[in-house]
């Protein structure tokens, strides 16, 4: 058994459309939608535009967080999705975002977090 | 060579003091301080208290983000630190947090993000 308290999904989106990766309004909408389709409960969304390019955004959800960091000059976006609720469907967020970012090369890995070794009574 | 655009450090803090893990004010201060000691530039800090227990917090920094999710009932905190600046000293944040959380069992792994295969000219 390898059950943890949380699951951390690291998503790599390569070969995306550069313009999309520099569009804060578009990305904030897409990430909030990604949270919704995976059945996350949004608490707060914070996005920031960098100069000359790039966007960072984090959505705090009741089940933990989603974050995105973009490098338009490389056509790359790093997304991570931390969830403490096994009922959340992070694959729906992944599928939705790869379409939105128009990523032609994408992958993800999931990492179990919080494997408790001892029982605290 | 395995250079990426970002470095994602996943920190596991086990056997922490339960009271500390449920104290939003303390955790927000500690996380902001952890960002400072690692030379991150803080943009925005968002923390949320859960009922009956647990805290989630994210700090958006100019170099990407720091996040914490706590399970006081298990004495566990998951912290992640995403940086796109190799000049940041994430080990200072790690050392600072393990002291603040009074963690007796802790570890971290660093994951390279954004390994660009093709050069976009």
């Amino acid at each position: 058994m390898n059950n943890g308290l949380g699951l951390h999904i690291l998503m790599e989106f390569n070969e995306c459309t550069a313009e999309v990766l520099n569009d804060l309004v578009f990305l904030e909408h897409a990430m909030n939608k990604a949270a919704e389709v995976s059945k996350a409960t949004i608490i707060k969304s914070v996005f920031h535009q960098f100069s000359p390019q790039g966007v960072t955004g984090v959505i705090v959800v009741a089940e933990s967080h989603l974050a995105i960091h973009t490098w338009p000059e490389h056509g790359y976006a790093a997304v991570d999705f931390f969830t403490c609720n096994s009922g959340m469907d992070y694959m729906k967020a992944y599928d939705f975002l790869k379409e939105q970012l128009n990523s032609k090369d994408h992958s993800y890995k999931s990492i179990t977090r919080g494997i408790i070794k001892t029982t605290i009574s």
Side-chain angles (χ1 to χ4, degrees), chain A:
Chain A
M1 290 291 288
N2 194 24
N3 288 329
L5 297 172
L7 194 62
H8 205 159
I9 299 101
L10 310 186
M11 305 176 183
E12 305 281 307
F13 295 109
N14 287 286
E15 299 182 35
C16 303
T17 303
E19 290 71 22
V20 163
L21 297 185
N22 206 33
D23 186 335
L24 182 146
V25 173
F26 178 88
L27 291 173
E28 184 161 13
H29 179 75
M31 286 290 286
N32 275 271
K33 199 80 186 162
E36 281 175 33
V37 298
S38 62
K39 301 202 191 310
T41 307
I42 297 165
I43 292 173
K44 182 103 181 172
S45 169
V46 179
F47 277 69
H48 181 78
Q49 177 85 48
F50 289 101
S51 176
Q53 57 192 350
V55 172
T56 273
V58 179
I59 303 174
V60 176
V61 298
E63 299 78 8
S64 293
H65 80 256
L66 286 87
I68 186 168
H69 307 292
T70 72
W71 282 258
E73 69 275 33
H74 293 289
Y76 170 72
V79 171
D80 75 290
F81 193 159
F82 191 117
T83 174
C84 56
N85 180 344
S86 60
M88 284 188 60
D89 191 348
Y90 63 83
M91 280 308 294
K92 285 197 174 161
Y94 178 73
D95 289 339
F96 178 78
L97 287 172
K98 74 186 185 195
E99 296 294 331
Q100 292 290 304
L101 304 177
N102 195 24
S103 171
K104 294 179 197 70
D105 177 18
H106 40 82
S107 62
Y108 71 93
K109 65 174 82 174
S110 62
I111 296 170
T112 304
R113 305 289 304 270
I115 299 169
I116 303 299
K117 298 168 204 166
T118 53
T119 304
I120 298 169
S121 60

